[in-house]
């Protein structure tokens, strides 16, 4: 049937409801659904959500949008003059992203065929997005086949996107354009893009499952007698150790509800309700949560203590004496921090990754005038950009669909009367820095969707491994915010400048690891300690602890020898004894450290050394450095490193 015949069939259907001759069964079924759902053929536009709802939907579908991003970027270029646009909608028909010919996208706003528009059949009748969702298959709706007359100026082709592991319907890819410029290849393009997105989601899930299983293996020796469930962030059971898989036929469904259908904040509470004697450990990759381990503790452990997620060391305030090391530079940093802790000055804690900046922050909190107040850490570089506003500022009751009915306090409110610890402050997007600055200057926070301010009394401790003054000069960090958070500066020396502290820390970490594993203490040979002191430790204390924990886990005897050390440590050239540590500049609070203490130069040298030691393998180098691989890419790009690197 041509468009004129379809139009006549549509008019006949609207007039008397009789099935018109020549219309396909699937199209007729969609028209009938539209009529039954009460959609008026004269409806001119789809519903359009407000910004908070768009923000929430994008956050909920971050994985889908991320997997579709390459195709969206290509569409911006390839469809620019093709009178077509690409649309990504979620499983409810809500449009979360668009790209393509800007003229077509502008025309789409007339019918709300744009981000925030809702295109399920119940709201706008027969259309490719809604009908693909309703039928669960690829469809093409051309011109007069649309149920609403105003929408008949469009031709759309859409295909469902499902998760490759369990077939869950995630959304729809749609190619739309004016009916007069119908392209018969649109459906093929939509299907190809849908398959690309599903393949990307499958690869990402496989990588996340590998991370979960590696974490499970690393912890297995600690929980040898326990049953363990390995669960991904979607609530899929990846692995069940021992008898954990036989705890009931509805286990998989229960876990899906406990984890996949709930926010991360609710995971532990949900776990406790289903497994009263269990503990839950969240697993991350590149600062993003990929799933969790649920440990079903035995009766023996149940009687000893209630199951709980272990609290980080120093959660109740870390004494400065517990920051291990006797090097003069570390001693000077401790004493400077101790003196600064006694007042409420904002402090910028500077140091390379892994030097223990958060340990200092918690120690400052414990020695502050309000030691019993809250300590709220915020990873400014680890939060998704779409979530940072609601995470920091919170949101009001009814701010958007699906919001907590009572509203939710943000990190800033939760820090009221205590300390807000801003980790990786240099990673905060420039356009969001002004909002934070306003809160810090006024002491008033406004929740998303709320016009009434809430007064807060907080102290700021900011941490960075960047040279923030250089970032200010480069225009990547606000100068006014810098001076707001850096009333005082505290530099933490890297491990390579701390001489014999390497030996002290290694022996302490080894004793702690042996205790956790229930085995006798181990000792290092003199040759092993010499090698460890010769190594530059670009990942600092974090890298040293990881190396020692691995050595103890793999040790067969009670002695750790030079041959047990990892290749990068053995490859380190012998060097003369570590130079005497430079004293910190303890002059005026705002004065910069001496030129030799340039954080950026030290960071660059450490990162390039580790990349070289790993043979250019960025994944391994990022792991050893204790940073996200994406951060490592950014750093190498800044350094202008042109070598061919393996991922």
């Amino acid at each position: 049937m041509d468009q004129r015949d379809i139009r006549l069939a549509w008019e006949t259907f609207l007039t008397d409801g009789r099935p018109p001759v020549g219309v396909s069964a699937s199209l007729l079924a969609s028209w009938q659904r539209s009529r039954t759902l009460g959609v008026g053929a004269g409806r001119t536009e789809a519903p359009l959500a407000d910004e908070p709802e768009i923000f929430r939907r994008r956050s909920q579908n971050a994985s889908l949008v991320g997997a579709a991003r390459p195709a969206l970027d290509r569409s911006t270029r390839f469809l620019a003059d093709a009178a077509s646009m690409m649309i990504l909608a979620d499983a409810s028909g809500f449009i979360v992203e668009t790209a393509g010919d800007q003229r077509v996208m502008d025309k789409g706003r007339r019918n709300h065929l744009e981000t925030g528009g809702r295109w399920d059949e119940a709201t706008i009748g027969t259309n490719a997005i809604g009908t693909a969702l309703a039928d669960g298959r690829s469809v093409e709706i051309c011109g007069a086949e649309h149920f609403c007359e105003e929408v008949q100026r469009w031709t759309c082709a859409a295909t469902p996107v499902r998760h490759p592991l369990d077939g869950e319907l995630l959304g729809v890819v749609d190619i739309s354009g004016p009916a007069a410029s119908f392209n018969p290849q649109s459906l093929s393009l939509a299907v190809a893009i849908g398959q690309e997105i599903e393949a990307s989601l499958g690869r990402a899930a496989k990588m996340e499952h590998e991370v979960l299983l590696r974490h499970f293996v690393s912890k297995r020796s600690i929980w040898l007698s326990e049953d363990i469930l390995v669960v991904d962030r979607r609530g899929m059971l990846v692995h069940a150790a021992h008898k954990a898989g036989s705890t009931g036929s509805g286990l998989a469904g229960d876990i899906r509800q406990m984890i996949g259908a709930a926010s991360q904040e609710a995971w532990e509470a949900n776990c406790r309700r289903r497994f009263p004697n269990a503990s839950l450990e969240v697993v991350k990759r590149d600062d993003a949560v990929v799933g969790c381990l649920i440990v079903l503790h035995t009766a023996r452990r149940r009687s000893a203590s209630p199951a709980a997620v272990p609290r980080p060391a120093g959660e109740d305030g870390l004494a400065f004496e517990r920051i291990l090391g006797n090097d003069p530079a570390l001693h000077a940093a401790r004493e400077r921090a101790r003196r600064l802790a006694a007042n409420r000055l904002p402090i910028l804690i500077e140091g390379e990754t892994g030097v223990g900046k958060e340990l200092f922050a918690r120690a400052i909190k414990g020695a502050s005038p309000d030691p019993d107040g809250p300590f709220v850490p915020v990873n400014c570089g680890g939060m998704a950009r779409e979530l940072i506003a609601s995470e920091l500022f919170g949101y009001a009751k009814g701010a958007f669909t699906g919001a907590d009915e009572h509203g939710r306090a943000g990190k800033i409110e939760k820090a009221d009367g205590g300390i807000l610890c801003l980790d990786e402050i240099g990673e905060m997007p420039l356009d969001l820095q002004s909002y934070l600055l306003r809160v810090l200057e006024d002491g008033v926070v406004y929740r998303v969707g709320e016009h009434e301010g809430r007064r807060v009394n907080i102290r700021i401790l900011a941490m960075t491994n960047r040279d923030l003054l250089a970032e200010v000069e480069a225009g990547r960090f606000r100068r006014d915010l810098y001076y707001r958070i850096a009333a005082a500066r505290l530099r933490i020396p890297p491990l390579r400048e701390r001489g014999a502290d390497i030996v002290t820390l290694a022996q302490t970490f080894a004793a702690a690891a042996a205790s956790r594993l229930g085995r006798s203490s181990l000792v290092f040979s003199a040759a092993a300690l010499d090698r460890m002191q010769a190594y530059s430790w670009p990942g600092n204390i974090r890298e040293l602890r990881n190396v020692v924990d691995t050595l103890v886990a793999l040790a067969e005897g009670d002695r750790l020898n030079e041959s047990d050390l990892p290749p990068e440590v053995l490859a380190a050239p012998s060097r003369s004894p570590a130079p005497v540590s430079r004293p910190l500049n303890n002059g005026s609070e705002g004065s910069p450290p001496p030129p030799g203490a340039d954080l950026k130069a030290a960071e660059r040298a450490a990162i390039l050394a580790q990349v070289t030691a790993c043979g250019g393998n960025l994944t391994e180098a990022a792991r050893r450095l204790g940073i996200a691989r994406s951060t490592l890419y950014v750093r190498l790009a800044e350094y202008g490193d042109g070598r061919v690197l393996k991922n």
Side-chain angles (χ1 to χ4, degrees):
M1 299 177 68
D2 60 22
Q3 283 292 302
R4 185 173 59 180
D5 291 336
I6 294 173
R7 173 80 180 194
L8 290 173
W10 173 77
E11 291 175 347
T12 299
F13 176 78
L14 292 181
T15 301
D16 54 25
R18 289 181 301 169
V21 178
V23 174
S24 68
S26 59
L27 178 59
L28 180 58
S30 178
W31 283 357
Q32 289 172 334
R33 287 195 300 268
S34 302
R35 188 167 188 161
T36 302
L37 291 167
V39 179
R43 187 168 296 178
T44 60
E45 60 187 24
L48 185 66
D50 56 13
E51 284 300 323
E53 176 68 0
I54 293 173
F55 171 84
R56 186 182 73 86
R57 294 289 189 128
R58 280 177 164 166
S59 300
Q60 285 181 337
N61 294 278
S63 297
L64 177 64
V65 175
R69 180 57 58 193
L72 288 162
D73 292 343
R74 290 198 309 273
S75 296
T76 300
R77 300 191 303 272
F78 298 155
L79 300 181
D81 298 311
S84 297
M85 62 188 292
M86 173 185 163
I87 296 170
L88 183 69
D90 68 12
S92 70
F94 187 100
I95 298 177
V96 292
E97 284 287 350
T98 60
D101 190 321
Q102 189 59 54
R103 294 166 300 178
V104 175
M105 294 169 65
D106 290 341
K107 291 177 181 177
R109 294 190 178 93
R110 172 175 159 186
N111 306 113
H112 292 164
L113 192 63
E114 60 180 307
T115 301
R118 183 177 170 185
W119 282 76
D120 59 301
E121 284 189 342
T123 57
I124 198 64
T126 302
N127 72 92
I129 295 173
T131 304
L133 289 170
D135 289 349
R137 62 179 182 85
S138 302
V139 299
E140 189 172 64
I141 304 296
C142 301
E145 293 177 344
H146 290 86
F147 187 78
C148 295
E149 184 174 12
E150 177 64 19
V151 186
Q152 291 177 359
R153 64 195 190 95
W154 293 98
T155 288
C156 309
T159 188
V161 177
R162 300 181 182 277
H163 199 283
L165 296 187
D166 58 9
E168 178 189 358
L169 181 62
L170 302 177
V172 168
V173 172
D174 172 88
I175 304 297
S176 291
S181 58
F182 167 69
N183 188 333
Q185 304 302 319
S186 293
L187 184 58
S188 297
L189 177 59
V191 171
I193 292 174
Q195 292 173 344
E196 175 188 338
I197 294 172
E198 290 177 351
S200 177
L201 290 168
R203 289 191 298 271
K206 182 180 178 181
M207 293 177 63
E208 291 181 359
H209 287 187
E210 289 176 354
V211 171
L212 285 165
L213 291 171
R214 283 200 301 269
H215 191 80
F216 162 73
V217 170
S218 71
K219 295 299 182 77
R220 196 71 191 99
S221 58
I222 302 176
W223 297 311
L224 283 174
S225 61
E226 315 287 22
D227 296 337
I228 303 176
L229 302 174
V230 183
V231 183
D232 71 13
R233 60 187 171 85
R234 299 177 63 251
M236 176 174 286
L237 186 60
V238 179
H239 179 74
H242 289 338
K243 300 178 181 179
S246 60
T247 55
S249 58
L251 177 65
D254 289 349
I255 292 177
R256 195 64 180 262
Q257 290 299 314
M258 288 164 43
I259 305 299
S263 65
Q264 184 190 333
E265 292 79 6
W267 285 6
E268 185 178 353
N270 293 346
C271 174
R272 293 280 186 82
R273 282 194 290 270
R274 177 61 172 82
F275 306 110
N277 297 294
S279 62
L280 181 144
E281 180 170 325
V282 173
V283 181
K284 295 184 177 182
R285 173 179 178 266
D286 293 347
D287 296 325
V289 173
V290 297
C292 62
L293 302 186
I294 300 175
V295 185
L296 308 177
H297 296 286
T298 62
R300 172 178 54 83
R301 292 201 176 183
R302 256 180 250 144
S303 60
S305 62
V309 179
R311 301 180 72 183
E315 184 69 34
D316 296 321
L318 181 72
F320 283 104
E321 289 72 19
R322 294 176 60 189
I323 301 178
L324 301 177
N326 299 307
D327 183 83
L330 182 70
H331 176 75
R334 266 198 310 256
E335 290 307 306
R336 180 177 173 82
R338 195 192 306 271
R339 294 196 301 272
L340 291 173
N343 57 63
R344 298 184 60 84
L345 276 175
I347 303 173
L348 177 62
I349 305 175
E350 302 170 297
E352 297 173 17
T353 182
V355 295
K357 297 187 289 294
E358 186 170 339
L359 294 182
F360 270 84
R362 290 184 180 276
I364 290 171
K365 186 259 185 184
S368 69
D370 304 307
D372 297 325
F375 180 91
V376 180
V378 178
N379 189 329
C380 300
M383 280 190 292
R385 192 182 187 284
E386 294 81 5
L387 297 177
I388 194 168
S390 60
E391 284 290 313
L392 276 177
F393 308 119
Y395 57 80
K397 172 184 177 181
F400 44 79
T401 303
D404 189 298
E405 62 179 2
H406 303 296
R408 180 175 296 175
K411 300 284 190 181
I412 295 175
E413 273 187 74
K414 291 178 181 178
D416 185 29
I419 287 176
L420 181 68
C421 183
L422 300 171
D423 193 10
E424 297 186 36
I425 184 66
E427 306 285 347
M428 177 174 282
L430 188 63
D431 59 333
L432 294 176
Q433 294 175 19
S434 59
Y435 294 101
L436 176 62
L437 177 65
R438 177 57 56 193
V439 174
L440 300 184
E441 288 182 341
D442 297 345
V444 176
V445 61
Y446 291 85
R447 294 184 180 182
V448 174
E450 190 172 71
H451 300 291
E452 182 178 349
R454 298 166 185 263
R455 185 157 296 279
V456 291
N457 179 23
I458 56 176
R459 182 182 186 182
I460 299 299
L461 298 181
M463 302 187 293
T464 185
N465 57 12
R466 293 190 176 195
D467 182 344
L468 280 194
L469 276 178
E471 296 294 297
V472 169
E473 297 302 325
R476 291 188 293 266
F477 199 85
R478 291 180 63 105
R479 187 178 298 275
D480 46 5
L481 179 59
Y482 172 81
Y483 288 114
R484 185 65 180 80
I485 64 175
R489 294 167 62 184
L490 176 67
R491 176 183 179 269
I492 313 303
L495 188 55
R496 63 180 175 277
E497 294 181 7
R498 291 173 50 184
D501 280 356
I502 294 173
V503 174
T504 301
L505 291 169
Q507 292 172 335
T508 301
F509 294 152
S515 176
R516 287 196 302 270
L517 297 175
R519 60 180 300 169
S520 58
S521 298
L522 292 86
V523 297
F524 289 90
S525 69
L529 291 175
D530 287 342
R531 279 287 191 180
M532 294 172 75
Q533 286 186 285
Y535 182 53
S536 62
W537 299 104
N540 291 291
I541 297 173
R542 184 184 296 125
E543 183 186 8
L544 174 62
R545 183 173 58 241
N546 290 342
V547 167
V548 172
D549 285 351
T550 302
L551 292 177
V552 174
L554 299 176
E556 297 180 353
D558 58 0
R559 187 177 180 83
L560 299 172
N561 298 307
E562 183 180 11
S563 59
D564 297 321
L565 297 173
E568 65 271 16
V569 177
L570 293 174
S574 299
R575 63 178 185 175
S576 56
V580 176
S581 301
R582 296 182 297 275
L584 293 177
N585 180 3
N586 287 326
S588 62
E589 302 294 0
S591 59
D598 179 31
L599 291 173
K600 201 69 176 178
E603 178 193 76
R604 181 182 189 278
I607 286 178
L608 293 181
Q610 192 61 270
V611 170
T612 300
C614 294
N617 187 320
L618 298 192
T619 299
E620 178 62 18
R623 185 189 67 79
R624 294 179 183 176
L625 289 165
I627 62 177
R629 189 172 63 174
S630 58
T631 302
L632 181 56
Y633 283 141
V634 172
R635 295 294 185 275
L636 291 175
E638 291 175 354
Y639 306 153
D641 191 276
R643 291 170 293 178
V644 177
L645 302 172
K646 298 180 293 182
N647 293 328

